[in-house]
Amino acid sequence: MSHPGAPKVTYNRVMLKISGEALMGDQGYGLHPPTVQRIAEEVKSVRDLGVEICMVIGGGNIFRGLAGSAQGMERTTADYMGMLATVMNALAMQSALESIGVFTRVISAIPMDQVCEPYIRRRAVRHLEKKRVCIFAAGTGNPYFTTDTAATLRANEMACEAIFKGTKVDGVYDKDPKKYPDAKRYDNVTYDEVLQKHLGVMDASAIALARDNDLPIIVFSLDEPGGFKGILAGQGTYTRVHG
């Protein structure tokens, strides 16, 4: 529940999309528990404002389907392995969130009843209404679709008001700011510009799906402590992708 004196937030229900790599910390592979815990604290701080939160976490810290298929593995098999990696990340995040008192449900597009719930839209909406965090795992359940597309699909199905894409940089740039000091950051950019200029916010099918449903994407830095909460209150540096 939001507390008296809490900052006013712009959104009531949002999708937070983070990459699997965001959970690695400084390691080259796998999960870094203190980093997972820090992100969980960020999510709790926003949930405590009364915002309903869905999450989609990538699987690239454990297995990346595209990389697997590039090494001669059949693409479909590689993508399913990538989906299973996202379930592992979702369970780690659930554990971290519940350790700080946030009720969380992992909801998988691939049924695996022993570890998480199957995806049933109306049940997921009910969880959100009860202020539980819903982590959607296993992508869309289909090969050839990324977790970016899964996040956009679920955000639409859950009637989220925006997708918050947490990255390593504080917005969308015309080129990689870590390599090019003269990279220019956009405050606002349209879906069509992202597609035409290959700005790398999300993959093309995710951007097209967001555009067709007029769902804004807020790109911000997950490395900035308090960033998620601040941006929901209209502060901080970010890029808004919209129509």
Side-chain angles (χ1 to χ4, degrees), residues 83-232:
M83 288 179 220
L84 296 178
T86 71
V87 177
M88 295 167 75
N89 284 338
L91 291 171
M93 184 57 67
Q94 178 185 41
S95 175
L97 282 164
E98 294 200 328
S99 75
I100 53 174
V102 178
F103 292 111
T104 307
R105 294 291 184 273
V106 173
I107 300 169
S108 170
I110 298 173
M112 44 185 95
D113 300 343
Q114 282 79 358
V115 294
C116 49
E117 290 185 12
Y119 176 67
I120 300 167
R121 190 186 73 85
R122 295 172 76 99
R123 187 194 286 179
V125 169
R126 190 78 191 101
H127 288 319
L128 290 171
E129 288 168 353
K130 289 181 175 177
K131 304 300 180 197
R132 295 167 183 154
V133 172
C134 288
I135 308 177
F136 296 108
T140 64
N142 299 292
Y144 294 93
F145 289 95
T146 64
T147 50
D148 281 345
T149 306
T152 313
L153 174 66
R154 297 291 185 238
N156 281 310
E157 289 179 299
M158 294 296 111
C160 291
E161 293 156 4
I163 297 175
F164 280 74
K165 168 98 190 236
T167 65
K168 294 273 184 198
V169 289
D170 59 354
V172 179
Y173 287 78
D174 57 353
K175 49 193 170 186
D176 187 343
K178 292 199 161 68
K179 289 183 191 161
Y180 303 97
D182 63 334
K184 179 167 105 21
R185 192 180 66 78
Y186 298 93
D187 281 330
N188 288 279
V189 64
T190 66
Y191 304 113
D192 289 333
E193 281 179 287
V194 169
L195 292 170
Q196 285 159 10
K197 297 177 181 174
H198 304 287
L199 292 177
V201 178
M202 287 178 157
D203 64 86
S205 52
I207 295 292
L209 186 59
R211 179 187 62 191
D212 293 349
N213 295 279
D214 202 21
L215 181 67
I217 302 165
I218 314 290
V219 183
F220 72 104
S221 170
L222 203 60
D223 291 344
E224 192 66 42
F228 185 28
K229 181 179 176 182
I231 286 163
L232 267 156

Side-chain angles (χ1 to χ4, degrees), residues 57-84:
I57 307 172
N61 55 322
I62 298 168
F63 187 87
R64 185 173 284 288
L66 273 172
S69 64
Q71 289 168 25
M73 190 182 289
E74 187 206 8
R75 170 71 191 267
T76 307
T77 303
D79 279 359
Y80 278 123
M81 291 172 70
M83 288 179 220
L84 296 178

